[in-house]
Amino acid sequence: MIKVRNLTKYYGERLAVDNISFDVGKGEIVGLLGPNAAGKTTTMRILTGFLTPTRGDTWIADCNMVTNSLEGRKHIGYMPESVPLYTDMTVREYLAFFGRLRGLDAKRTNHRINDVIGLCNLEEYVDSIIGKLSKGFRQRVGLAQAIIHEPEVLILDEPTVGIDPLQVSQTRTLIKELGKEHTILLSTHILPEVSATCGRVIIINRGRIIAQDSIENLSAIVKGARRLRIEVKGPHDQITKRLQRIDGVKKVSREGNYLIVESPIQIDPRSQVTEIIVKSGWTLLSIETVEMSLEDIFLQLTAKDKEESDSE
Amino acid sequence: MNKVMLIAGKELRSYLTSPMAYIITCIFLLISGVFFVLYLTATKYADTSIQGFIEPLSVFGLSNIGNVFLPLFASILTMRLLSEEKKIGTWELLLTSPVKDTEVILGKFLGSLGILVCMLVLTMYFPLMLAIFGQPDMGPIWTSYLGLFLIGSSALAVGTFTSSITTNQIIAAVVSGGILFALWFVGMVSNVLPTAIANVFSYISLSSHFSNFSVGIIDTKDIIYYLSVTALFLYAAIRSLETSRWN
Ligand SMILES: Nc1ncnc2c1ncn2[C@@H]1O[C@H](COP(=O)(O)OP(=O)(O)OP(=O)(O)O)[C@@H](O)[C@H]1O
Ligand SMILES: [Mg+2]
């Protein structure tokens, strides 16, 4: 549904997107994850035809967005980062305008307005002036605008920024729901967002893709390390020292009431850990292997990327 | 074409829900009203017969102030046309919708033209009053309206263009005001220049093409001039929109 090949974008001298390629298949929800200034918005603006790339090509539903953007745009629903709205219109007028602009006839537009109003829980505000809505509801209007014409591809730039936790989780549920009928590319720099909504993640930093895979695979790749989380009763300092002496253990650190033991994946220090603790007369309350969080993955990957480009 | 009308309608609607268009229209009606009265009383002293009111050139003063003030008002009307959308970002939605750049610009322009037409229609109570209380020569009146419409649409096109190159409304208004003033000014100074230059100047001047209309003459040269200015600046606006994608 979305195909990107060797995409490069310079703003004058500044390189914002550096030769990236990826695909998003029909029905997928893919997260574009990256820190500020990574090039997420720029990539999305090129995908939607708002900007022309310096080099490279993008396709939306088999339409080349450089040469045939007008046709391609029919298949796209887009919510820009700033959620732009005509604040002097009512929600209904706003949705009607974009419905018509994207080719729906009057009857279909009305029909669709009712649908999206329901989907986005906007019933109460449908005849309110947009300028008077709270941020969270504006966000929903922005989302409603993106799906009004039933596009095959949805491109959402940071869809949950600036809304309260309850609405964030509602929005994520909604995005997942939409994912059943649309192909979705969303950007974020919030890690839980990707694990909560996306099946796959593309991590970009400083304009380059540094990793892309399903969330599970990604953790496995970066893992390379095994992490044990131990809850133990006893003098933590002493325990830490003892555990560090185990062959192969790279690092022992404290995390709240737990100790984290890191080792390469091929070494399983569990039996040794239990033995040492029990023999020393401390009490082992629990021991478990923990998955690396996306956050760890991300930090590790961006750090690696930085090291590489620094050494260049 | 549908989409052009859709955008024009949206634009017209947003003019009618904000105070700006009303303020402009009020000031325009006020100024033209004052001129109307001034001309009326001036011609009354010159000739006491009822028909004498209607010295063609004065066509209730509207034509003269029209070609001076109308461009000014046009600059103010059009300043937010595109710059505002760029600033609040709705621009991004317009340009990523399946609409041609040309349709966006034409829609915007026609929206503002709609307001201009409203303004002109509202002044029609001047000739109506003349027609009730006298027998005005309607010819020059209608041609004046045609001229005002044409000069107004040229000015709106200039404003549409300047609004497309900036996110700042004030800059848009000042630049279009500047361009329009320059086009008007070359007509004024052409009188005092050597003929060769004067001819060029008066050809490119907005105001010199207006004088025929105000005395009841429709010259295709003048019509073509105004239409070319309109087309030229709308084309420039479309190009500026295209280049914005290249950033
Ligand atoms: N219109 C522009 N003109 C010049 N440079 C720009 C422009 N837009 C973005 N940039 C630059 O391009 C780079 C990538 O920006 P982009 O907005 O794509 O990042 P992002 O990943 O969306 O960041 P964020 O998470 O902050 O939204 C940044 O260095 C930014 O300064
Ligand atoms: Mg961004």
Side-chain angles (χ1 to χ4, degrees):
Chain A
M1 269 292 148
I2 304 177
K3 193 162 115 187
V4 176
R5 289 294 175 272
N6 307 103
L7 190 68
T8 301
K9 177 73 183 178
Y10 280 91
Y11 290 111
E13 291 285 289
R14 167 176 240 129
L15 179 60
V17 174
D18 186 2
N19 199 29
I20 67 174
S21 303
F22 64 87
D23 288 280
V24 180
K26 197 171 165 65
E28 267 193 296
I29 305 185
V30 172
L32 199 57
L33 179 68
N36 290 126
K40 304 182 293 293
T41 300
T42 305
T43 305
M44 294 187 144
R45 284 181 162 173
I46 295 171
L47 276 173
T48 52
F50 180 68
L51 288 179
T52 313
T54 312
R55 275 194 297 278
D57 281 293
T58 61
W59 288 264
I60 298 281
D62 290 327
C63 300
N64 186 311
M65 289 305 288
V66 178
T67 57
N68 194 11
S69 142
L70 204 61
E71 184 60 32
R73 282 185 247 156
K74 287 183 190 159
H75 306 282
I76 302 175
Y78 177 37
M79 181 164 98
E81 191 168 19
S82 58
V83 197
L85 302 160
Y86 293 117
T87 45
D88 58 343
M89 288 188 175
T90 66
V91 173
R92 188 186 296 281
E93 286 166 339
Y94 179 79
L95 294 176
F97 176 67
F98 282 107
R100 299 297 304 276
L101 196 66
R102 296 186 187 136
L104 305 183
D105 61 25
K107 199 172 148 217
R108 184 84 192 126
T109 303
N110 277 333
H111 190 77
R112 281 296 297 160
I113 289 176
N114 291 336
D115 290 354
V116 298
I117 289 292
L119 259 178
C120 302
N121 288 319
L122 280 164
E123 291 93 345
E124 224 177 304
Y125 296 99
V126 61
D127 290 311
S128 311
I129 300 286
I130 294 176
K132 293 183 179 158
L133 297 186
S134 71
K135 169 83 180 143
F137 280 92
R138 289 179 187 214
Q139 203 92 7
R140 293 189 198 183
V141 178
L143 201 55
Q145 162 276 129
I147 57 178
I148 185 87
H149 54 303
E150 299 180 277
E152 289 150 78
V153 176
L154 269 184
I155 294 184
L156 311 173
D157 200 351
E158 308 202 6
T160 58
V161 163
I163 56 183
D164 72 46
L166 181 67
Q167 297 203 5
V168 165
S169 86
Q170 284 176 359
T171 307
R172 285 183 190 155
T173 316
L174 175 58
I175 290 174
K176 270 185 159 165
E177 191 62 32
L178 291 171
K180 290 177 187 157
E181 278 157 38
H182 307 261
T183 302
I184 303 181
L185 179 69
L186 64 86
S187 82
T188 178
H189 48 240
I190 312 165
L191 297 156
E193 181 129 301
V194 204
S195 23
T197 45
C198 306
R200 198 152 64 84
V201 55
I202 296 170
I203 302 181
I204 69 171
N205 189 34
R206 308 208 287 177
R208 282 191 288 180
I209 295 187
I210 52 177
Q212 60 171 319
D213 211 329
S214 71
I215 286 160
E216 300 84 51
N217 284 353
L218 208 59
S219 1
I221 291 169
V222 201
K223 205 146 53 173
R226 181 190 297 280
R227 286 155 60 97
L228 296 178
R229 190 164 68 175
I230 304 164
E231 194 179 4
V232 58
K233 236 193 229 160
H236 275 194
D237 291 342
Q238 232 173 309
I239 303 171
T240 306
K241 271 189 203 140
R242 285 297 308 278
L243 295 181
Q244 254 159 357
R245 266 185 262 144
I246 301 174
D247 249 0
V249 166
K250 281 202 298 202
K251 194 176 157 201
V252 181
S253 52
R254 275 179 79 158
E255 198 182 279
N257 285 332
Y258 299 98
L259 289 177
I260 305 289
V261 178
E262 287 178 44
S263 67
I265 197 82
Q266 23 334 345
I267 293 170
D268 187 351
R270 271 180 297 185
S271 51
Q272 276 167 288
V273 168
T274 359
E275 205 181 306
I276 289 171
I277 290 175
V278 173
K279 274 200 180 151
S280 315
W282 301 318
T283 322
L284 181 63
L285 297 174
S286 72
I287 179 165
E288 59 182 329
T289 314
V290 287
E291 287 269 312
M292 228 179 204
S293 73
L294 204 50
E295 191 139 20
D296 298 320
I297 299 174
F298 187 67
L299 288 177
Q300 205 158 331
L301 283 172
T302 45
K304 218 158 74 186
D305 189 50
K306 192 156 186 296
E307 270 166 32
E308 277 164 17
S309 58
D310 284 349
S311 62
E312 265 165 23
Chain B
M1 203 54 207
N2 263 337
K3 290 182 178 167
V4 173
M5 293 325 284
L6 189 73
I7 294 173
K10 184 223 133 220
E11 218 46 55
L12 205 55
R13 198 199 137 279
S14 99
Y15 273 124
L16 296 178
T17 50
S18 79
M20 183 62 90
Y22 295 101
I23 295 171
I24 301 272
T25 310
C26 283
I27 297 175
F28 180 72
L29 287 177
L30 189 73
I31 294 178
S32 44
V34 168
F35 273 74
F36 176 61
V37 172
L38 287 180
Y39 272 91
L40 214 51
T41 44
T43 43
K44 190 176 167 191
Y45 292 125
D47 185 339
T48 42
S49 73
I50 275 278
Q51 281 84 353
F53 281 6
I54 324 304
E55 204 248 320
L57 199 105
S58 70
V59 186
F60 51 89
L62 186 61
S63 8
N64 288 303
I65 64 114
N67 75 57
V68 180
F69 287 98
L70 211 53
L72 188 75
F73 291 138
S75 300
I76 300 172
L77 270 183
T78 49
M79 66 183 187
R80 48 160 284 285
L81 214 51
L82 295 151
S83 58
E84 169 97 341
E85 299 237 16
K86 279 189 160 181
K87 191 167 174 186
I88 62 174
T90 40
W91 187 239
E92 211 168 329
L93 291 178
L94 274 187
L95 294 204
T96 55
S97 291
V99 197
K100 295 195 190 84
D101 295 352
T102 314
E103 292 174 321
V104 173
I105 296 294
L106 280 184
K108 290 274 174 184
F109 168 73
L110 287 181
S112 66
L113 198 62
I115 295 294
L116 178 87
V117 170
C118 290
M119 280 165 67
L120 292 181
V121 168
L122 285 175
T123 63
M124 285 189 177
Y125 76 92
F126 301 135
L128 187 70
M129 271 162 68
L130 293 177
I132 292 172
F133 298 109
Q135 286 106 39
D137 178 1
M138 289 308 280
I141 292 181
W142 293 127
T143 55
S144 289
Y145 272 114
L146 178 63
L148 286 173
F149 174 77
L150 288 170
I151 199 173
S153 72
S154 305
L156 292 173
V158 172
T160 306
F161 165 66
T162 60
S163 185
S164 76
I165 56 175
T166 173
T167 54
N168 185 323
Q169 300 189 18
I170 305 299
I171 292 178
V174 168
V175 175
S176 67
I179 294 175
L180 291 166
F181 179 75
L183 284 177
W184 173 80
F185 190 70
V186 289
M188 295 293 118
V189 298
S190 66
N191 302 331
V192 298
L193 291 171
T195 355
I197 307 175
N199 283 343
V200 178
F201 272 28
S202 86
Y203 186 74
I204 60 170
S205 154
L206 272 180
S207 46
S208 58
H209 288 275
F210 191 78
S211 41
N212 276 339
F213 289 108
S214 63
V215 292
I217 300 168
I218 299 178
D219 188 335
T220 34
K221 237 177 34 216
D222 299 325
I223 295 183
I224 288 171
Y225 167 82
Y226 286 126
L227 292 182
S228 327
V229 172
T230 306
L232 180 74
F233 280 95
L234 289 182
Y235 177 72
I238 294 165
R239 293 314 304 259
S240 118
L241 197 154
E242 277 167 14
T243 39
S244 79
R245 293 184 198 271
W246 286 96
N247 196 298

